[in-house]
Amino acid sequence: MSAGDASVSKPVPVPDEITAPFWEAANRGVLAIQHCGACERYIHPPAAICPHCQATDMRFREVSGRARVYTHTIVRDNVTQGFAPDEPYVIGIIELVEQERLVLVANVVGVKPEDVSVGMPLRVTFERLNDEIALPQFTPDGGD
Amino acid sequence: MDEFSGRAAIVGLGYSKLERRSPRPLANFAREAAAAAIADAGLTVDDIDGLGTIPNIAAYGNTGDLEGIDIVTVPNMAQMLGRERGIRWHVQTPGLCPDTIMTAAAAVASGACTYALVWRAVNVPKGRYSDFSRARAYGDDQFRAPYGFTMPAAWQSVALRKYMHDHGSTREDMAAFVVQNRENTQLNPKAYWHGTPLTAQDYLDAPMLADPFCLYDCDIPVDGCVAVVLADAERARSLRNPPAYITGHAQTTWPTRGGFTDSEHMWEGGAAMGEKLWASAGLGPDDIDAAMLYDGFSIFLYVWLEALGFVGRGEAASYIASGATALDGELPLNTSGCSLGEGRLHGMAQIAEAVLQVTGRAGARQVEGVAHTIATVGAGTLASGGLIFSREPRA
């Protein structure tokens, strides 16, 4: 098969012991981020032990889904299966409003790639991949 | 300075030919480099009793790791040298070459072995080597591969965009280092891009891989191998080459937290590594006469120049544009062309050129009066390392 064959599916996340609550929430249309009960900081990607204070009291907390573009790239030449038909597509490093430098990776959708800019306000939306996985994605937030 | 400073040295250096998509198996390149390094040290194969390497394929995604084709391990090298019975010490470290060189330096300094051979053999894997072709994404990949954040050029592109945004840099500004580096490459006959100049306009016109990252922001993947021979300081003095004493060393475990998402980690990790590096040698940025900073991707140059304190935050691009890092500038930088110009040798280009410059063996590109050089490898985060080489054993 050729790279970028539209019939080939994109990689699907495999939840594990640490990350399962993130994906369970996403599957319900909720963005939930790991939160340390000791130092009260958010952590992403989820970790077994808090990387800031080494505590083990790790929970998941629903967040607002509001964010901004921390930085981004416009991918024009990727050979990973399933993505070539989307090119050019935007990968955003998305900073959630809840905490400085609390970032996650998502595509910025619903906007022309060249119109995406650093600092652009965003809100979460979900892209369903299968019965168990919905990917958090981000789209420009008009502000309401 | 720490107790280790100056107790071991690189005494021999050897290159294979650097080719692209060669029909020759990688084992042949490794054997060629090993033989050259041993001869350069004025030793014979029977003197080598320590071996160290990094047996990783230089790829992300779903490529093979066939012995002698994609990787060359210690047992393979021992056999190729006919030294299965003579190797007293060996190590295989995943990651990047400073870990291996430091470990080998400790081995020769401690007496665990006498002469250690360290090599890094890399190839251009078949097909597209950052093709994430697995249907499922585990670990950190679960938060990036489903989004198509699957190629190293894209990982570094987000860092470059943030840098340009934070410091008001343009792509014209970013051309300065790449063009200067290619000029240095023209004085290095071993380099893959030797004989192929590059102008600022070439850089600006190059294909975008992941905007704002273009083809020439990436190093040039090659099939090749670089090997070095290490000895303790006392033995080093009696050999044919001036020794490149290892007077400073640092490694880092700085986490990336989710892979290359927040580029601030590169500056923070690089600065933390730099503090250890300068302290170990009892030296600082002003003592360095030539710098070989890792440029597997162009953005790393700005990370290292700023994180190590050569310039302030956000000042690297204008410092380069001022001419300060040219061969005749105050801080000659990547004088051989290193990763972008010589070839993707995963840090061995930096190590090799730092050794050649400090021992006065850099030929047409030799900087005058070099007492101390620095080589860094990585991006300031996990597995990154740095070494300082000096003409005299104690800084």
Side-chain angles (χ1 to χ4, degrees), chain A residues 3 9-16 19 22-23 34 43-47 51 70-81 83 89-91 93 101 103-107 116 118-119 129 135-137, chain B residues 128 130-140 142-151 153-155 157-162 165-166 208-213 257-265 268:
Chain A
S9 63
K10 297 172 182 175
V12 175
V14 180
D16 55 46
T19 66
F22 176 93
W23 294 112
Q34 194 183 42
I43 293 117
H44 186 82
Y70 186 72
T71 178
H72 68 285
T73 182
I74 305 170
V75 177
R76 300 188 187 279
D77 184 17
N78 192 351
V79 292
T80 293
Q81 58 181 2
F83 288 96
Y89 65 95
V90 177
I91 294 165
I93 305 299
R101 292 177 62 189
V103 296
L104 48 76
V105 176
N107 300 122
V116 175
V118 173
L129 296 190
L135 283 184
Q137 298 282 26
Chain B
R128 291 286 295 265
S130 61
D131 179 2
F132 188 98
S133 56
R134 294 188 291 270
R136 290 165 168 268
Y138 298 87
D140 275 355
Q142 72 189 283
F143 295 107
R144 59 184 182 185
Y147 299 97
F149 197 42
T150 48
M151 60 179 193
W155 301 341
S157 175
V158 295
L160 183 62
R161 184 181 302 276
K162 185 166 192 306
H165 176 267
D166 289 354
M208 264 312 159
L209 303 179
D211 196 337
F213 224 72
R257 298 294 304 141
F260 291 99
T261 54
D262 182 0
S263 50
E264 293 300 306
H265 291 297
E268 292 166 354

Side-chain angles (χ1 to χ4, degrees), chain A residues 45-67:
Chain A
I49 292 170
C50 178
H52 301 292
C53 76
Q54 291 74 48
T56 56
D57 178 19
M58 308 297 274
R59 321 248 173 114
F60 282 77
R61 182 178 282 191
E62 182 175 345
V63 293
S64 67
R66 294 188 184 275

Side-chain angles (χ1 to χ4, degrees), chain B residues 77-365:
Chain B
M77 179 62 81
Q79 187 173 57
M80 288 196 291
L81 297 177
R83 289 289 290 157
E84 293 98 327
R85 291 174 187 279
I87 300 303
R88 295 196 292 140
W89 171 92
H90 76 261
V91 71
Q92 300 194 103
T93 48
L96 297 169
C97 61
D99 292 349
T100 329
I101 290 173
M102 263 313 300
T103 309
V108 294
S110 70
C113 67
T114 306
Y115 296 109
L117 177 79
V118 173
W119 69 96
R120 177 68 171 112
V122 286
N123 69 348
V124 185
K126 291 180 178 60
R128 291 286 295 265
Y129 55 87
S130 61
D131 179 2
F132 188 98
S133 56
R134 294 188 291 270
R136 290 165 168 268
Y138 298 87
D140 275 355
D141 284 334
Q142 72 189 283
F143 295 107
R144 59 184 182 185
Y147 299 97
F149 197 42
T150 48
M151 60 179 193
W155 301 341
Q156 303 318 326
S157 175
V158 295
L160 183 62
R161 184 181 302 276
K162 185 166 192 306
Y163 186 91
M164 292 168 69
H165 176 267
D166 289 354
H167 306 300
S169 315
T170 62
R171 288 201 69 233
E172 284 77 4
D173 298 330
M174 299 292 108
F177 168 68
V178 177
V179 170
Q180 177 201 287
N181 188 71
R182 189 66 73 87
E183 285 169 8
N184 291 346
T185 304
Q186 303 316 309
L187 298 174
N188 176 8
K190 296 189 300 289
Y192 183 81
W193 285 126
H194 181 256
T196 310
L198 184 84
T199 65
Q201 196 60 47
D202 292 335
Y203 175 82
L204 295 173
D205 292 344
M208 264 312 159
L209 303 179
D211 196 337
F213 224 72
C214 77
L215 184 64
Y216 296 125
D217 289 309
C218 304
D219 59 7
I220 178 69
V222 293
D223 303 314
C225 181
V226 180
V228 293
V229 176
L230 293 98
D232 71 8
E234 192 178 325
R235 286 189 179 84
R237 270 189 286 281
S238 67
L239 297 176
R240 62 187 285 261
N241 292 321
Y245 293 101
I246 297 173
T247 52
H249 66 95
Q251 296 164 280
T252 185
T253 59
W254 206 267
T256 55
R257 298 294 304 141
F260 291 99
T261 54
D262 182 0
S263 50
E264 293 300 306
H265 291 297
M266 298 198 289
W267 272 265
E268 292 166 354
M273 196 197 86
E275 285 177 25
K276 292 190 275 190
L277 182 61
W278 299 129
S280 74
L283 295 170
D286 290 346
D287 297 310
I288 298 299
D289 302 304
M292 310 305 147
L293 307 180
Y294 191 61
D295 59 346
F297 293 107
S298 61
I299 180 72
F300 297 159
L301 245 295
Y302 313 119
V303 173
W304 286 121
L305 279 173
E306 296 172 12
L308 294 171
F310 287 108
V311 296
R313 186 70 195 267
E315 295 173 0
S318 56
Y319 183 64
I320 292 165
S322 77
T325 59
L327 263 183
D328 58 355
E330 65 176 23
L331 183 70
L333 181 65
N334 291 17
T335 51
S336 64
C338 289
S339 307
L340 290 176
E342 184 175 274
R344 185 180 67 158
L345 296 159
H346 262 205
M348 289 299 272
Q350 280 75 7
I351 301 289
E353 183 69 0
V355 166
L356 290 174
Q357 285 287 357
V358 85
T359 55
R361 301 203 291 146
R365 56 186 191 280

